[in-house]
Short mmCIF file of all heavy atoms in Angstrom, two decimals:
data_model
loop_
_atom_site.label_atom_id
_atom_site.label_comp_id
_atom_site.label_asym_id
_atom_site.label_seq_id
_atom_site.Cartn_x
_atom_site.Cartn_y
_atom_site.Cartn_z
N THR B 128 42.12 -6.46 -7.04
CA THR B 128 42.70 -7.28 -5.97
C THR B 128 41.65 -7.84 -5.02
O THR B 128 41.98 -8.58 -4.10
CB THR B 128 43.69 -6.45 -5.13
OG1 THR B 128 42.94 -5.40 -4.47
CG2 THR B 128 44.78 -5.83 -5.97
N ILE B 129 40.37 -7.50 -5.21
CA ILE B 129 39.33 -7.97 -4.27
C ILE B 129 39.24 -9.50 -4.34
O ILE B 129 39.09 -10.07 -5.42
CB ILE B 129 37.94 -7.37 -4.62
CG1 ILE B 129 37.99 -5.85 -4.61
CG2 ILE B 129 36.89 -7.87 -3.63
CD1 ILE B 129 36.71 -5.19 -5.11
N GLN B 130 39.35 -10.14 -3.21
CA GLN B 130 39.31 -11.60 -3.16
C GLN B 130 38.15 -12.07 -2.29
O GLN B 130 37.83 -11.43 -1.30
CB GLN B 130 40.62 -12.15 -2.59
CG GLN B 130 41.84 -11.92 -3.48
CD GLN B 130 41.70 -12.57 -4.86
OE1 GLN B 130 41.15 -13.66 -4.99
NE2 GLN B 130 42.18 -11.88 -5.88
N PRO B 131 37.54 -13.22 -2.65
CA PRO B 131 36.41 -13.71 -1.85
C PRO B 131 36.86 -14.43 -0.59
O PRO B 131 37.87 -15.13 -0.60
CB PRO B 131 35.73 -14.70 -2.80
CG PRO B 131 36.84 -15.19 -3.69
CD PRO B 131 37.83 -14.07 -3.82
N ALA B 132 36.08 -14.23 0.46
CA ALA B 132 36.30 -14.95 1.72
C ALA B 132 35.15 -14.64 2.68
O ALA B 132 34.52 -13.59 2.56
CB ALA B 132 37.62 -14.51 2.35
N GLY B 133 34.87 -15.54 3.59
CA GLY B 133 33.96 -15.27 4.70
C GLY B 133 32.49 -15.30 4.36
O GLY B 133 32.07 -15.70 3.27
N GLY B 134 31.68 -14.82 5.32
CA GLY B 134 30.22 -14.83 5.17
C GLY B 134 29.69 -13.45 4.80
O GLY B 134 30.43 -12.60 4.34
N THR B 135 28.36 -13.27 4.99
CA THR B 135 27.74 -12.00 4.60
C THR B 135 27.13 -11.32 5.81
O THR B 135 26.18 -11.85 6.39
CB THR B 135 26.63 -12.26 3.56
OG1 THR B 135 27.20 -12.92 2.44
CG2 THR B 135 25.98 -10.97 3.09
N GLU B 136 27.69 -10.20 6.20
CA GLU B 136 27.04 -9.38 7.24
C GLU B 136 26.81 -8.00 6.67
O GLU B 136 27.70 -7.15 6.63
CB GLU B 136 27.91 -9.33 8.50
CG GLU B 136 27.80 -10.59 9.32
CD GLU B 136 28.39 -10.45 10.71
OE1 GLU B 136 28.32 -9.35 11.30
OE2 GLU B 136 28.96 -11.45 11.19
N LEU B 137 25.59 -7.84 6.23
CA LEU B 137 25.22 -6.65 5.47
C LEU B 137 25.49 -5.35 6.24
O LEU B 137 26.00 -4.38 5.69
CB LEU B 137 23.74 -6.74 5.13
CG LEU B 137 23.27 -6.18 3.80
CD1 LEU B 137 24.05 -6.78 2.66
CD2 LEU B 137 21.78 -6.47 3.61
N LEU B 138 25.15 -5.37 7.52
CA LEU B 138 25.25 -4.14 8.29
C LEU B 138 26.69 -3.64 8.38
O LEU B 138 26.93 -2.43 8.42
CB LEU B 138 24.66 -4.36 9.70
CG LEU B 138 24.59 -3.12 10.59
CD1 LEU B 138 23.77 -2.02 9.95
CD2 LEU B 138 23.99 -3.47 11.96
N GLN B 139 27.63 -4.58 8.38
CA GLN B 139 29.04 -4.18 8.42
C GLN B 139 29.36 -3.30 7.21
O GLN B 139 29.90 -2.19 7.33
CB GLN B 139 29.94 -5.43 8.36
CG GLN B 139 29.85 -6.31 9.58
CD GLN B 139 30.61 -5.69 10.76
OE1 GLN B 139 31.53 -4.91 10.58
NE2 GLN B 139 30.21 -6.04 11.97
N GLY B 140 29.02 -3.80 6.03
CA GLY B 140 29.32 -3.06 4.80
C GLY B 140 28.50 -1.78 4.70
O GLY B 140 29.01 -0.71 4.34
N LEU B 141 27.23 -1.91 5.07
CA LEU B 141 26.33 -0.77 4.96
C LEU B 141 26.80 0.39 5.85
O LEU B 141 26.84 1.55 5.42
CB LEU B 141 24.93 -1.21 5.35
CG LEU B 141 23.80 -0.26 5.03
CD1 LEU B 141 23.65 -0.12 3.52
CD2 LEU B 141 22.50 -0.76 5.64
N GLY B 142 27.16 0.04 7.07
CA GLY B 142 27.60 1.07 8.03
C GLY B 142 28.82 1.81 7.50
O GLY B 142 28.87 3.05 7.51
N ALA B 143 29.79 1.05 7.03
CA ALA B 143 31.02 1.68 6.51
C ALA B 143 30.70 2.53 5.28
O ALA B 143 31.24 3.63 5.10
CB ALA B 143 32.04 0.61 6.17
N GLY B 144 29.81 2.01 4.45
CA GLY B 144 29.44 2.74 3.23
C GLY B 144 28.73 4.05 3.54
O GLY B 144 29.02 5.10 2.96
N VAL B 145 27.77 4.00 4.48
CA VAL B 145 27.04 5.22 4.84
C VAL B 145 27.99 6.25 5.45
O VAL B 145 27.87 7.45 5.17
CB VAL B 145 25.85 4.88 5.79
CG1 VAL B 145 25.24 6.13 6.39
CG2 VAL B 145 24.79 4.09 5.03
N ARG B 146 28.94 5.77 6.25
CA ARG B 146 29.92 6.71 6.81
C ARG B 146 30.71 7.40 5.69
O ARG B 146 30.90 8.61 5.68
CB ARG B 146 30.91 5.97 7.73
CG ARG B 146 30.46 5.94 9.18
CD ARG B 146 31.58 5.48 10.09
NE ARG B 146 32.09 4.15 9.78
CZ ARG B 146 31.47 3.00 10.16
NH1 ARG B 146 30.34 3.05 10.84
NH2 ARG B 146 32.00 1.84 9.86
N GLU B 147 31.14 6.60 4.71
CA GLU B 147 31.93 7.17 3.62
C GLU B 147 31.13 8.19 2.82
O GLU B 147 31.60 9.27 2.50
CB GLU B 147 32.41 6.05 2.68
CG GLU B 147 33.59 5.27 3.20
CD GLU B 147 34.84 6.13 3.38
OE1 GLU B 147 35.10 7.00 2.53
OE2 GLU B 147 35.55 5.95 4.40
N VAL B 148 29.91 7.81 2.48
CA VAL B 148 29.11 8.70 1.63
C VAL B 148 28.74 9.97 2.41
O VAL B 148 28.65 11.07 1.84
CB VAL B 148 27.89 7.96 1.04
CG1 VAL B 148 26.74 7.86 2.00
CG2 VAL B 148 27.44 8.57 -0.28
N THR B 149 28.55 9.85 3.70
CA THR B 149 28.23 11.03 4.52
C THR B 149 29.42 11.98 4.57
O THR B 149 29.28 13.20 4.43
CB THR B 149 27.84 10.59 5.95
OG1 THR B 149 26.78 9.64 5.83
CG2 THR B 149 27.36 11.75 6.78
N GLN B 150 30.61 11.40 4.72
CA GLN B 150 31.81 12.24 4.79
C GLN B 150 32.14 12.85 3.41
O GLN B 150 32.81 13.87 3.33
CB GLN B 150 33.00 11.42 5.29
CG GLN B 150 32.88 11.07 6.77
CD GLN B 150 33.86 9.98 7.20
OE1 GLN B 150 34.73 9.58 6.44
NE2 GLN B 150 33.70 9.51 8.43
N GLY B 151 31.67 12.21 2.36
CA GLY B 151 32.00 12.69 1.02
C GLY B 151 31.02 13.73 0.48
O GLY B 151 31.15 14.20 -0.65
N LYS B 152 30.02 14.10 1.29
CA LYS B 152 28.99 15.04 0.82
C LYS B 152 29.56 16.39 0.45
O LYS B 152 30.42 16.93 1.17
CB LYS B 152 27.96 15.27 1.93
CG LYS B 152 26.84 14.27 1.97
CD LYS B 152 25.84 14.72 3.03
CE LYS B 152 24.73 13.73 3.19
NZ LYS B 152 23.83 14.13 4.28
N GLY B 153 29.08 16.94 -0.65
CA GLY B 153 29.42 18.31 -1.02
C GLY B 153 28.17 19.16 -0.90
O GLY B 153 27.08 18.64 -0.61
N GLU B 154 28.30 20.45 -1.17
CA GLU B 154 27.17 21.35 -0.99
C GLU B 154 25.99 20.99 -1.90
O GLU B 154 24.84 21.00 -1.51
CB GLU B 154 27.61 22.79 -1.26
CG GLU B 154 26.63 23.80 -0.72
CD GLU B 154 27.10 25.22 -1.02
OE1 GLU B 154 28.25 25.40 -1.44
OE2 GLU B 154 26.28 26.12 -0.84
N HIS B 155 26.31 20.64 -3.16
CA HIS B 155 25.23 20.33 -4.11
C HIS B 155 25.35 18.90 -4.63
O HIS B 155 24.90 18.61 -5.73
CB HIS B 155 25.28 21.30 -5.28
CG HIS B 155 25.01 22.71 -4.88
ND1 HIS B 155 23.82 23.11 -4.35
CD2 HIS B 155 25.80 23.81 -4.91
CE1 HIS B 155 23.87 24.40 -4.07
NE2 HIS B 155 25.08 24.85 -4.39
N SER B 156 25.98 18.03 -3.89
CA SER B 156 26.22 16.69 -4.46
C SER B 156 24.98 15.81 -4.36
O SER B 156 24.11 16.00 -3.51
CB SER B 156 27.41 16.03 -3.76
OG SER B 156 27.14 15.90 -2.38
N LEU B 157 24.94 14.84 -5.26
CA LEU B 157 23.89 13.84 -5.25
C LEU B 157 24.50 12.61 -4.58
O LEU B 157 25.42 11.99 -5.12
CB LEU B 157 23.49 13.53 -6.70
CG LEU B 157 22.45 12.45 -6.91
CD1 LEU B 157 21.19 12.76 -6.14
CD2 LEU B 157 22.15 12.32 -8.39
#
Side-chain angles (χ1 to χ4, degrees):
Chain B
T128 64
I129 303 173
Q130 293 300 323
T135 302
E136 282 193 34
L137 215 54
L138 185 57
Q139 292 285 335
L141 192 66
V145 169
R146 269 193 300 281
E147 282 298 320
V148 81
T149 305
Q150 289 166 8
K152 273 186 183 176
E154 197 180 349
H155 296 297
S156 60
L157 177 56

